[in-house]
Amino acid sequence: MAGAASPLTPDAIVRLEDGRLVLLDQTLLPGERREKSYDDWPEMVEAIRAMVVRGAPAIGVAAAYGTAVAARGGRDHFHEACDGLAAARPTAVNLAWAIQRMRDAAAEASDEQLVPHLEQAARELHRQEVARCVAIGDHGAGLLDSGARVLTHCNAGALATGGYGTALGVIRSAHGHDPSLQVWVDETRPLLQGARLTAWELAQDGIDATLLADSMAGWVMAQGQVDAVVVGADRIARNGDTANKIGTYALSVLAAAHQVPFYVAAPTSTIDPSAADGSAIPIEHRDPGELAGASAAEGVAVYNPAFDVTPAANITAIVTELGVHRPPFRFA
Ligand code: MRU
């Protein structure tokens, strides 16, 4: 389905329409704006794995809608969809969190009311995730000084959350008070979520952004050109250890070495109360071809973890919709 040139509202990123899940295809951005729609869960699993929709809260929202679509095939089919979608990607806990909420909603509904009840529950979950991002933005904006030069990694924007964004929510909110704010955008190897998606979102909002290769971050910090790092999260353990896009850990080490504050912005749906620390967080390893592409020497072995874990000791503060949390972190 060809996409219309609609603004980047929550519904333009992920929505339910006529009993189908509709996704803005993030693999094609920024070159092409096209939607894809899905009416059964196995193809939704493939879409999540292929990163048609990506970012921790956004895959949770998409899966919530996906289970509501699957419920049209009956209660057993709904539960199969819950199991299948929960296994689509391992690191972001928002996926399991959203699906558990849908299971809870299903348990409250009669068979006759199952589909409308789940559709309503998924829409409400989406609305609440976006509202959490707006609150995160407002809490986090206060951490940035006037004229701050902020470095971010990957895409923790509207595309990654189903609307507004977490790290980009903080940046958006701060920019609303202080248009002189500037953003360094890590390109984010190997899938270039920074170069493709974050740079695109910031351009749409008229926020001053400069792209840099991941390997340049240390040098711009050494030159005193970064006032804060703000990133999103895929899973936060009880002690504050935080999984996020590969490269985040290295950034946190660089930030500590240069006395640059390092902030994590995420909704409470990203906190995993079952993980005592980062060692309990599963790390997704992706297709070697994503890294090797066409340019690597043929046959070379490839190591391609999609995420890493930043120890709580390297994090200055974690911003959730509840406020700014400082160390020592003790999440329930
Ligand atoms: O592999 P991706 O693109 O899904 O990874 C996304 C990230 O690592 C984001 O930084 C994270 O999900 C936070 S999104 C608000």
Side-chain angles (χ1 to χ4, degrees):
M1 178 187 359
S6 55
L8 198 55
T9 58
D11 275 4
I13 299 163
V14 48
R15 68 179 180 277
L16 193 61
E17 186 173 287
D18 299 331
R20 298 174 71 91
L21 170 68
V22 181
L23 300 174
L24 174 62
D25 186 346
Q26 299 190 30
T27 67
L28 301 177
L29 292 172
E32 189 180 348
R33 194 158 166 176
R34 179 177 290 269
E35 292 180 339
K36 286 188 174 157
S37 79
Y38 304 88
D39 65 5
D40 207 359
W41 67 265
E43 56 192 14
M44 297 173 197
V45 169
E46 286 315 308
I48 292 171
R49 290 198 173 129
M51 295 167 67
V52 172
V53 61
R54 33 96 12 232
I59 61 176
V61 170
Y65 284 134
T67 63
V69 171
R72 291 174 173 253
R75 208 173 270 277
D76 289 349
H77 196 66
F78 162 79
H79 284 293
E80 278 171 30
C82 289
D83 293 342
L85 285 161
R89 291 187 75 188
T91 302
V93 76
N94 308 63
L95 191 55
W97 173 89
I99 287 168
Q100 186 55 50
R101 258 137 205 83
M102 296 305 287
R103 287 193 202 270
D104 294 345
E108 297 164 348
S110 66
D111 286 350
E112 296 69 38
Q113 285 303 307
L114 184 63
V115 170
H117 189 72
L118 291 177
E119 290 187 347
Q120 165 62 21
R123 288 196 170 100
E124 181 58 15
L125 184 148
H126 188 183
R127 189 195 65 74
Q128 287 179 0
E129 283 292 70
V130 178
R132 288 186 187 101
C133 288
V134 173
I136 288 166
D138 289 344
H139 292 305
L143 297 169
L144 303 178
D145 292 335
S146 174
R149 296 154 302 173
V150 182
L151 190 148
T152 192
H153 188 70
C154 194
N155 172 263
L159 292 165
T161 60
Y164 201 70
T166 51
L168 285 200
V170 170
I171 287 168
R172 288 197 158 101
S173 177
H175 181 261
H177 306 294
D178 171 24
S180 69
L181 176 134
Q182 296 171 50
V183 185
W184 292 106
V185 179
D186 259 5
E187 71 173 344
T188 316
R189 286 277 295 150
L191 294 181
L192 305 179
Q193 290 95 328
R196 294 188 303 106
L197 307 176
T198 297
W200 183 69
E201 285 197 38
L202 292 172
Q204 291 197 333
D205 279 9
I207 299 176
D208 186 350
T210 303
L211 180 66
L212 75 173
D214 301 348
S215 54
M216 297 170 186
W219 183 237
V220 294
M221 286 187 201
Q223 292 178 309
Q225 295 195 58
V226 180
D227 299 306
V229 176
V230 185
V231 296
D234 287 84
R235 191 183 296 231
I236 300 174
R238 286 204 305 274
N239 72 341
D241 290 353
T242 293
N244 191 48
K245 179 53 54 193
I246 191 75
T248 304
Y249 165 68
L251 265 186
S252 77
V253 173
L254 289 169
H258 295 93
Q259 289 89 48
V260 172
F262 186 95
Y263 300 119
V264 170
T268 49
S269 53
T270 306
I271 296 170
D272 180 359
S274 75
D277 60 37
S279 65
I281 300 178
I283 298 295
E284 177 183 9
H285 285 251
R286 292 187 60 87
D287 186 325
E290 289 181 353
L291 180 58
S295 49
E298 203 180 325
V300 68
V302 171
Y303 181 61
N304 189 23
F307 300 95
D308 56 29
V309 177
T310 295
N314 290 1
I315 300 173
T316 310
I318 297 176
V319 188
T320 72
E321 73 274 15
L322 303 178
V324 176
H325 310 261
R326 302 273 180 181
F329 304 111
R330 297 280 180 267
F331 295 112

